Amino acid sequence: MSRIDLHLHTTHSDGSLSPTEVIQLAHKANVTALAITDHDIVTAIPEAMAAGIDLGIEIVPGVEISSSMGSSELHILGYCINWQDSELNRRLASLRESRHTRNPQIIERLRSLGLDVTYEEVRTLAGTESVGRPHIARLLMDKRYVTSAKDAFDRYLAEGRPAYVARELPQPADAIAWIRAAGGVAVLAHPTWAKVAGEGLITLLTTLKDEGLGGIEVHYSTHTKKQTTEYLDLAKRLNVLVTGGSDFHGITKPDIEVGTGRGDLKVPEKLLDPLKKAAFLVGRS
Ligand SMILES: [Zn+2]
Ligand SMILES: [Zn+2]
Protein backbone atom coordinates (compact mmCIF):
# COMPACT_ATOMS: atom_id res chain seq x y z
CA MET A 1 0.00 0.00 0.00
CA SER A 2 1.45 3.37 -0.96
CA ARG A 3 1.93 6.16 1.53
CA ILE A 4 3.88 9.39 2.05
CA ASP A 5 6.33 10.41 4.81
CA LEU A 6 6.84 14.11 5.50
CA HIS A 7 9.35 13.97 8.36
CA LEU A 8 12.77 12.36 7.85
CA HIS A 9 16.34 13.08 8.98
CA THR A 10 19.64 12.27 7.24
CA THR A 11 23.36 12.47 8.02
CA HIS A 12 23.13 16.18 7.18
CA SER A 13 21.67 16.64 10.68
CA ASP A 14 21.39 13.86 13.28
CA GLY A 15 20.18 10.95 11.17
CA SER A 16 22.52 8.03 10.55
CA LEU A 17 21.79 7.41 6.85
CA SER A 18 22.60 9.48 3.77
CA PRO A 19 19.77 11.09 1.75
CA THR A 20 20.18 8.40 -0.94
CA GLU A 21 19.97 5.59 1.64
CA VAL A 22 16.84 7.13 3.19
CA ILE A 23 15.19 7.35 -0.23
CA GLN A 24 16.09 3.75 -1.03
CA LEU A 25 14.33 2.69 2.19
CA ALA A 26 11.36 4.87 1.26
CA HIS A 27 11.19 3.13 -2.11
CA LYS A 28 11.07 -0.29 -0.40
CA ALA A 29 8.31 0.97 1.91
CA ASN A 30 6.16 2.09 -1.07
CA VAL A 31 6.49 5.76 -0.13
CA THR A 32 5.46 7.87 -3.12
CA ALA A 33 6.46 11.29 -1.76
CA LEU A 34 8.62 12.40 1.13
CA ALA A 35 10.10 15.44 2.82
CA ILE A 36 13.65 15.57 4.15
CA THR A 37 13.37 17.76 7.25
CA ASP A 38 16.84 17.99 8.74
CA HIS A 39 17.36 20.15 11.82
CA ASP A 40 18.30 23.72 10.89
CA ILE A 41 19.90 22.66 7.57
CA VAL A 42 18.82 22.10 3.95
CA THR A 43 22.01 20.70 2.37
CA ALA A 44 20.56 17.16 1.97
CA ILE A 45 17.92 18.33 -0.49
CA PRO A 46 19.88 18.25 -3.81
CA GLU A 47 21.09 14.67 -3.24
CA ALA A 48 17.58 13.67 -2.12
CA MET A 49 16.07 15.15 -5.28
CA ALA A 50 18.51 13.29 -7.52
CA ALA A 51 17.78 9.99 -5.74
CA GLY A 52 14.06 10.77 -5.88
CA ILE A 53 14.19 11.20 -9.65
CA ASP A 54 16.02 7.86 -10.00
CA LEU A 55 13.44 5.97 -7.94
CA GLY A 56 10.31 7.89 -8.91
CA ILE A 57 9.70 9.44 -5.49
CA GLU A 58 8.54 13.04 -5.18
CA ILE A 59 10.76 15.08 -2.85
CA VAL A 60 9.21 17.96 -0.90
CA PRO A 61 11.95 20.39 0.19
CA GLY A 62 11.73 20.69 3.97
CA VAL A 63 13.44 21.73 7.19
CA GLU A 64 12.79 21.40 10.93
CA ILE A 65 13.57 24.45 13.07
CA SER A 66 13.83 24.17 16.86
CA SER A 67 12.15 26.99 18.76
CA SER A 68 11.16 27.54 22.35
CA MET A 69 8.14 28.92 24.12
CA GLY A 70 8.22 29.03 27.91
CA SER A 71 9.58 25.70 29.10
CA SER A 72 8.58 23.85 25.92
CA GLU A 73 10.74 23.23 22.89
CA LEU A 74 8.51 23.51 19.82
CA HIS A 75 9.75 22.19 16.50
CA ILE A 76 8.46 23.95 13.42
CA LEU A 77 8.53 22.05 10.14
CA GLY A 78 8.84 24.01 6.91
CA TYR A 79 7.46 22.47 3.70
CA CYS A 80 7.81 23.36 0.01
CA ILE A 81 10.42 25.93 0.98
CA ASN A 82 12.65 27.60 -1.54
CA TRP A 83 15.66 25.86 0.00
CA GLN A 84 18.13 28.03 -1.93
CA ASP A 85 16.70 31.23 -0.43
CA SER A 86 19.71 33.17 0.83
CA GLU A 87 17.94 34.76 3.80
CA LEU A 88 16.69 31.35 5.01
CA ASN A 89 20.18 29.90 4.64
CA ARG A 90 21.68 32.78 6.59
CA ARG A 91 19.18 32.24 9.44
CA LEU A 92 19.79 28.49 9.53
CA ALA A 93 23.56 29.05 9.63
CA SER A 94 23.20 31.26 12.67
CA LEU A 95 21.03 28.65 14.42
CA ARG A 96 23.71 26.03 13.78
CA GLU A 97 26.28 28.42 15.16
CA SER A 98 24.39 28.47 18.48
CA ARG A 99 24.70 24.67 18.61
CA HIS A 100 28.47 25.06 18.27
CA THR A 101 28.62 27.11 21.45
CA ARG A 102 26.36 24.72 23.34
CA ASN A 103 27.88 21.37 22.39
CA PRO A 104 31.38 22.06 23.77
CA GLN A 105 29.73 23.06 27.07
CA ILE A 106 27.94 19.70 27.18
CA ILE A 107 31.24 17.93 26.50
CA GLU A 108 32.90 19.91 29.32
CA ARG A 109 30.20 18.74 31.72
CA LEU A 110 30.60 15.12 30.63
CA ARG A 111 34.37 15.40 31.10
CA SER A 112 33.90 16.85 34.57
CA LEU A 113 31.76 13.78 35.33
CA GLY A 114 34.78 11.64 34.45
CA LEU A 115 33.82 10.60 30.90
CA ASP A 116 36.64 10.57 28.38
CA VAL A 117 35.09 12.43 25.44
CA THR A 118 36.18 15.41 23.31
CA TYR A 119 34.27 17.78 21.05
CA GLU A 120 36.63 16.88 18.22
CA GLU A 121 35.42 13.27 18.46
CA VAL A 122 31.79 14.42 18.25
CA ARG A 123 32.47 16.54 15.16
CA THR A 124 34.32 13.73 13.44
CA LEU A 125 31.53 11.27 14.20
CA ALA A 126 28.84 13.74 13.09
CA GLY A 127 30.56 14.70 9.84
CA THR A 128 28.10 17.58 9.34
CA GLU A 129 27.71 21.19 10.32
CA SER A 130 24.44 20.45 12.10
CA VAL A 131 25.87 18.79 15.22
CA GLY A 132 23.34 17.89 17.90
CA ARG A 133 22.91 15.99 21.15
CA PRO A 134 22.09 12.73 19.31
CA HIS A 135 25.66 12.78 17.97
CA ILE A 136 26.97 13.11 21.51
CA ALA A 137 24.67 10.24 22.50
CA ARG A 138 26.14 8.11 19.72
CA LEU A 139 29.68 8.85 20.90
CA LEU A 140 28.69 7.78 24.42
CA MET A 141 27.26 4.56 22.92
CA ASP A 142 30.42 3.93 20.88
CA LYS A 143 32.50 4.37 24.03
CA ARG A 144 30.14 2.09 25.95
CA TYR A 145 29.30 4.67 28.61
CA VAL A 146 25.63 4.06 27.79
CA THR A 147 23.66 1.23 26.20
CA SER A 148 21.44 3.27 23.87
CA ALA A 149 20.66 6.82 22.77
CA LYS A 150 17.74 6.82 25.21
CA ASP A 151 20.07 5.76 28.02
CA ALA A 152 22.41 8.66 27.11
CA PHE A 153 19.56 11.17 27.33
CA ASP A 154 18.09 9.64 30.50
CA ARG A 155 21.42 9.62 32.31
CA TYR A 156 23.22 12.69 30.99
CA LEU A 157 21.73 14.78 28.18
CA ALA A 158 18.03 15.40 28.84
CA GLU A 159 16.77 18.52 30.58
CA GLY A 160 17.44 18.21 34.32
CA ARG A 161 20.26 15.68 33.84
CA PRO A 162 23.88 16.52 34.80
CA ALA A 163 25.25 17.33 31.33
CA TYR A 164 22.22 19.34 30.14
CA VAL A 165 22.94 22.83 28.83
CA ALA A 166 20.07 25.07 27.70
CA ARG A 167 20.28 26.59 24.23
CA GLU A 168 19.13 29.96 23.04
CA LEU A 169 16.34 29.18 20.60
CA PRO A 170 14.21 31.45 18.44
CA GLN A 171 10.55 32.04 19.19
CA PRO A 172 8.11 29.91 17.17
CA ALA A 173 6.82 33.12 15.56
CA ASP A 174 10.32 33.76 14.16
CA ALA A 175 10.71 30.21 12.81
CA ILE A 176 7.26 30.48 11.19
CA ALA A 177 8.11 33.84 9.63
CA TRP A 178 11.44 32.59 8.22
CA ILE A 179 9.75 29.56 6.63
CA ARG A 180 7.00 31.71 5.09
CA ALA A 181 9.53 34.24 3.82
CA ALA A 182 11.15 31.34 1.94
CA GLY A 183 7.78 30.48 0.36
CA GLY A 184 7.07 27.52 2.67
CA VAL A 185 4.23 26.29 4.85
CA ALA A 186 4.98 26.15 8.60
CA VAL A 187 3.68 23.15 10.54
CA LEU A 188 3.89 22.31 14.26
CA ALA A 189 5.85 19.04 14.61
CA HIS A 190 4.94 16.37 17.20
CA PRO A 191 2.44 18.54 19.15
CA THR A 192 2.88 16.42 22.30
CA TRP A 193 6.09 18.40 22.90
CA ALA A 194 3.98 21.47 23.63
CA LYS A 195 3.24 19.79 26.98
CA VAL A 196 -0.33 21.10 26.87
CA ALA A 197 -3.56 19.42 25.84
CA GLY A 198 -7.23 20.35 25.61
CA GLU A 199 -7.98 24.07 25.96
CA GLY A 200 -4.28 24.90 26.55
CA LEU A 201 -3.36 23.37 23.21
CA ILE A 202 -6.21 25.17 21.43
CA THR A 203 -4.98 28.49 22.83
CA LEU A 204 -1.40 27.74 21.78
CA LEU A 205 -2.39 26.67 18.26
CA THR A 206 -4.64 29.70 17.84
CA THR A 207 -1.71 31.95 18.72
CA LEU A 208 0.61 30.10 16.35
CA LYS A 209 -2.00 30.23 13.59
CA ASP A 210 -2.24 34.01 14.04
CA GLU A 211 1.54 34.05 13.63
CA GLY A 212 1.27 32.18 10.32
CA LEU A 213 1.24 28.48 11.24
CA GLY A 214 -0.38 26.52 8.42
CA GLY A 215 -0.68 23.00 9.78
CA ILE A 216 -0.30 20.38 12.50
CA GLU A 217 1.64 17.12 12.35
CA VAL A 218 -1.30 14.86 13.15
CA HIS A 219 0.15 11.51 12.04
CA TYR A 220 3.38 10.69 13.90
CA SER A 221 5.22 7.52 14.91
CA THR A 222 4.61 7.81 18.65
CA HIS A 223 1.04 9.16 18.58
CA THR A 224 -1.65 7.00 20.14
CA LYS A 225 -4.97 6.61 18.30
CA LYS A 226 -6.47 8.99 20.84
CA GLN A 227 -3.83 11.67 20.16
CA THR A 228 -4.19 11.30 16.39
CA THR A 229 -7.96 11.78 16.71
CA GLU A 230 -7.53 14.78 19.02
CA TYR A 231 -5.08 16.52 16.67
CA LEU A 232 -7.21 15.71 13.62
CA ASP A 233 -10.22 17.33 15.31
CA LEU A 234 -8.12 20.35 16.28
CA ALA A 235 -6.83 20.79 12.74
CA LYS A 236 -10.41 20.76 11.45
CA ARG A 237 -11.60 23.12 14.15
CA LEU A 238 -8.79 25.63 13.51
CA ASN A 239 -8.96 25.14 9.75
CA VAL A 240 -5.27 24.27 9.33
CA LEU A 241 -3.61 21.54 7.27
CA VAL A 242 -2.94 17.99 8.44
CA THR A 243 0.52 16.50 7.86
CA GLY A 244 2.38 13.45 9.08
CA GLY A 245 5.69 11.67 9.14
CA SER A 246 7.84 9.09 10.86
CA ASP A 247 10.66 11.33 12.20
CA PHE A 248 13.02 8.63 10.99
CA HIS A 249 16.62 9.07 12.25
CA GLY A 250 18.16 5.63 11.61
CA ILE A 251 20.20 4.22 14.47
CA THR A 252 19.41 7.12 16.83
CA LYS A 253 15.76 6.02 16.92
CA PRO A 254 16.11 2.33 16.06
CA ASP A 255 12.42 1.44 16.51
CA ILE A 256 11.25 3.89 13.82
CA GLU A 257 11.13 2.90 10.15
CA VAL A 258 10.82 5.07 7.05
CA GLY A 259 7.16 5.34 6.03
CA THR A 260 5.71 3.05 8.70
CA GLY A 261 7.10 4.46 11.96
CA ARG A 262 6.61 1.79 14.61
CA GLY A 263 4.72 -0.33 12.10
CA ASP A 264 1.28 1.23 12.12
CA LEU A 265 1.94 4.71 10.74
CA LYS A 266 0.15 5.56 7.51
CA VAL A 267 0.26 9.10 6.24
CA PRO A 268 -2.39 9.41 3.51
CA GLU A 269 -1.19 10.52 0.07
CA LYS A 270 -4.16 12.91 -0.20
CA LEU A 271 -2.50 15.28 2.34
CA LEU A 272 0.18 16.34 -0.12
CA ASP A 273 -1.85 18.38 -2.61
CA PRO A 274 -3.38 20.76 -0.04
CA LEU A 275 0.15 21.36 1.33
CA LYS A 276 1.48 22.25 -2.11
CA LYS A 277 -1.50 24.52 -2.80
CA ALA A 278 -0.97 26.31 0.53
CA ALA A 279 2.71 26.87 -0.36
CA PHE A 280 1.65 28.29 -3.71
CA LEU A 281 -0.53 30.81 -1.89
CA VAL A 282 2.29 31.72 0.56
CA GLY A 283 4.54 32.34 -2.43
CA ARG A 284 2.03 34.79 -3.86
CA SER A 285 1.25 36.62 -0.61
ZN1 LIG B 1 11.41 17.40 16.22
ZN1 LIG C 1 12.40 15.53 13.43
Side-chain angles (χ1 to χ4, degrees):
M1 212 196 304
S2 54
R3 57 185 83 232
I4 62 174
D5 188 340
L6 300 176
H7 191 160
L8 298 151
H9 296 271
T10 75
T11 45
H12 288 249
S13 66
D14 57 355
S16 63
L17 298 182
S18 72
T20 303
E21 288 168 322
V22 169
I23 283 143
Q24 285 165 346
L25 288 178
H27 184 62
K28 281 189 198 140
N30 291 318
V31 169
T32 56
L34 63 81
I36 298 292
T37 53
D38 278 312
H39 297 286
D40 305 334
I41 198 162
V42 292
T43 49
I45 293 171
E47 183 186 324
M49 286 184 156
I53 289 169
D54 280 352
L55 293 172
I57 296 178
E58 180 173 357
I59 307 297
V60 177
V63 69
E64 181 173 24
I65 299 179
S66 305
S67 72
S68 75
M69 191 180 228
S71 66
S72 302
E73 189 169 316
L74 301 184
H75 289 182
I76 309 292
L77 294 158
Y79 290 119
C80 308
I81 47 167
N82 173 9
W83 58 277
Q84 289 166 308
D85 183 87
S86 58
E87 189 60 19
L88 176 71
N89 277 275
R90 199 183 60 71
R91 304 266 193 212
L92 295 178
S94 96
L95 294 176
R96 295 196 298 272
E97 201 48 49
S98 77
R99 288 175 186 259
H100 287 317
T101 53
R102 178 203 203 192
N103 290 321
Q105 293 172 340
I106 296 175
I107 294 297
E108 268 321 298
R109 295 214 178 171
L110 289 169
R111 291 180 64 84
S112 71
L113 293 164
L115 281 68
D116 178 23
V117 286
T118 67
Y119 190 47
E120 206 38 56
E121 288 172 320
V122 181
R123 292 193 72 152
T124 306
L125 175 149
T128 166
E129 269 183 77
S130 184
V131 180
R133 283 183 295 167
H135 295 121
I136 299 176
R138 225 183 296 156
L139 182 64
L140 295 180
M141 283 164 71
D142 288 353
K143 295 204 161 189
R144 302 187 184 272
Y145 286 120
V146 296
T147 55
S148 64
K150 185 180 181 304
D151 190 29
F153 276 84
D154 289 348
R155 285 169 62 184
Y156 298 109
L157 303 173
E159 192 174 347
R161 304 310 300 154
Y164 179 75
V165 176
R167 178 159 79 106
E168 285 264 325
L169 291 173
Q171 296 286 310
D174 293 329
I176 292 168
W178 301 338
I179 288 164
R180 288 176 60 90
V185 179
V187 171
L188 179 67
H190 38 70
T192 54
W193 283 36
K195 299 185 198 158
V196 283
E199 283 304 316
L201 186 57
I202 294 173
T203 307
L204 170 70
L205 288 169
T206 305
T207 306
L208 295 177
K209 188 189 170 187
D210 288 345
E211 292 168 346
L213 191 81
I216 308 173
E217 189 174 49
V218 169
H219 305 279
Y220 187 71
S221 293
T222 63
H223 284 174
T224 61
K225 278 213 169 76
K226 188 166 166 268
Q227 284 169 330
T228 305
T229 308
E230 182 192 350
Y231 300 143
L232 202 53
D233 288 347
L234 273 177
K236 263 189 210 145
R237 182 167 164 178
L238 294 165
N239 192 25
V240 293
L241 297 168
V242 172
T243 72
S246 62
D247 208 359
F248 175 82
H249 277 74
I251 196 173
T252 321
K253 292 186 179 181
D255 60 333
I256 291 175
E257 306 283 349
V258 174
T260 54
R262 287 179 172 167
D264 55 358
L265 181 74
K266 178 150 198 313
V267 184
E269 286 180 289
K270 65 173 189 209
L271 300 180
L272 187 58
D273 267 349
L275 190 60
K276 291 199 283 193
K277 281 195 187 116
F280 178 72
L281 293 175
V282 170
R284 280 159 50 111
S285 66

